[in-house]
Amino acid sequence: MAEAERHDDASAECGACQHSRLQLILLALAFASGAFLAWQTAGTLLMIFGGLLLAVLLDAATRGLQHLLPLGRGACFAIVCTLSAGMILMGIAWGGYTIVQEWDALHRVLTSQLKGIGDRLAEMGVQTPGPRGGRITDEQIASILLPDPAGLFGQARTALGTAGDVLLMLFIGFFVGLNPAAYRRGLASLIPRSRRCVVLGIVDDMAETLRWWLVGQVVTIVVVALSIALALMALGTPGALVLGLLAGLLNFIPYLGAFVGAVPIALAASSQGSTMVFWVIAIYLLIQIIEGYVLTPLVQRRTVHIQPAHALGMQMLMGTLFGAVGIALAAPLQAVLRVAVIRSSTGDADQA
């Protein structure tokens, strides 16, 4: 009798073990299928994430305006969209021609400086290997740093495809930002009641983190762009407006963007002599230090802090997989993923 019971227990344990293995296999297959689907639709997913970033930014501006004006959300959202569109159109109308002119002049300056550097390296016997068995031309290097303005409008088909993606991203941002509560309720309806509060709490924390991160980025981009442009104008550096705008936009990419933005600034200043390069780089570093240690911590106190090595690793991974778009979206994606992992594993809202 006892032997029969032991046999039954062993059979039950064996059945439970096989059931656990089956569950593990199915879980692995589901994860692999999800990873493969995400890989195949990565471009679309990144575009959707970009639209959600825009929606979060519009929502943050609307919330801020609601604190200033005694108006409803719809009216404040309309004001934000109108002001944003007006500022973009005014910037294009007022500064578009000037920026194109400066871009053209800056491209010529960079090409000239790179040619001089290449000639000096050639005199020293140093050559950069190129695809034709010789050297990469200075014009090719300059086109990497700043594309030739004559070719900016020469790829109409590609531009149309990109414009369609951008337009779709704008629509996603507009509709989600118009009524985020409706999309939150739609998400809640898909979640079991037992997990609804936990999941929605994580989503709210992710949105809050992303909101403050984006506000901080917009503030730092504007401050850095204006500061560098004004400083370069005062020093007489060619292409000051374009260089300031480029440095501000690259500041959206933490750590890496600051180093990349310094290269064209140093090359443009080298046309005025080595002393000017020293002053330009010193001012650039001062602005970046103030931004990194004073401005950013002040405006992003409610966001998660990501270690530099983690951020650079994520940028390298996203850049390898998805190119420039992946690098640009690496930081906000890493921020929300970190919040999601910490909240789901600890349930503590104060540990991120």
Side-chain angles (χ1 to χ4, degrees), residues 296-340:
T296 297
L298 185 64
V299 298
Q300 292 189 353
R301 289 176 294 179
R302 302 190 185 185
T303 64
V304 296
H305 177 68
I306 300 174
Q307 297 297 331
H310 295 166
L312 291 174
M314 183 68 169
Q315 290 168 14
M316 292 173 60
L317 178 62
M318 293 291 290
T320 302
L321 294 176
F322 310 115
V325 176
I327 296 176
L329 297 180
L333 184 60
Q334 187 176 14
V336 296
L337 289 178
R338 186 173 185 272
V339 170

Side-chain angles (χ1 to χ4, degrees), residues 165-249:
D165 293 340
V166 171
L167 186 62
L168 187 57
M169 186 178 67
L170 290 177
F171 276 119
I172 293 174
F174 175 81
F175 287 117
V176 175
L178 178 63
N179 190 8
Y183 294 91
R184 186 180 183 275
R185 290 193 298 269
L187 176 63
S189 65
L190 302 176
I191 304 171
R193 289 184 178 274
S194 59
R195 302 292 297 173
R196 186 171 299 174
C197 291
V198 176
V199 174
L200 290 181
I202 294 174
V203 171
D204 291 340
D205 289 337
M206 292 168 62
E208 181 75 7
T209 298
L210 200 57
R211 187 181 303 120
W212 283 102
W213 187 87
L214 281 172
V215 170
Q217 288 301 109
V218 170
V219 172
T220 54
I221 285 173
V222 172
V223 171
V224 169
L226 288 177
S227 301
I228 292 178
L230 293 175
L232 295 180
M233 286 179 185
L235 294 174
T237 305
L241 184 60
V242 173
L243 289 172
L245 181 61
L246 183 64
L249 293 176

Side-chain angles (χ1 to χ4, degrees), residues 8 18 30-31 37 77 80 97 102 109 123 151 156 182 248 255 284 311 335 345:
D8 293 339
Q18 291 179 350
F31 179 79
L37 181 62
F77 184 80
V80 168
Y97 181 71
E102 286 205 10
V109 170
E123 292 175 359
Y255 308 111
Y284 181 82
S345 61

Side-chain angles (χ1 to χ4, degrees), residues 138-176:
D138 308 301
E139 290 78 6
Q140 288 175 322
I141 301 176
S143 66
I144 295 174
L145 296 174
L146 282 178
D148 188 352
L152 290 178
F153 308 100
Q155 299 178 355
R157 294 181 181 177
T158 303
L160 288 176
T162 304
D165 293 340
V166 171
L167 186 62
L168 187 57
M169 186 178 67
L170 290 177
F171 276 119
I172 293 174
F174 175 81
F175 287 117
V176 175

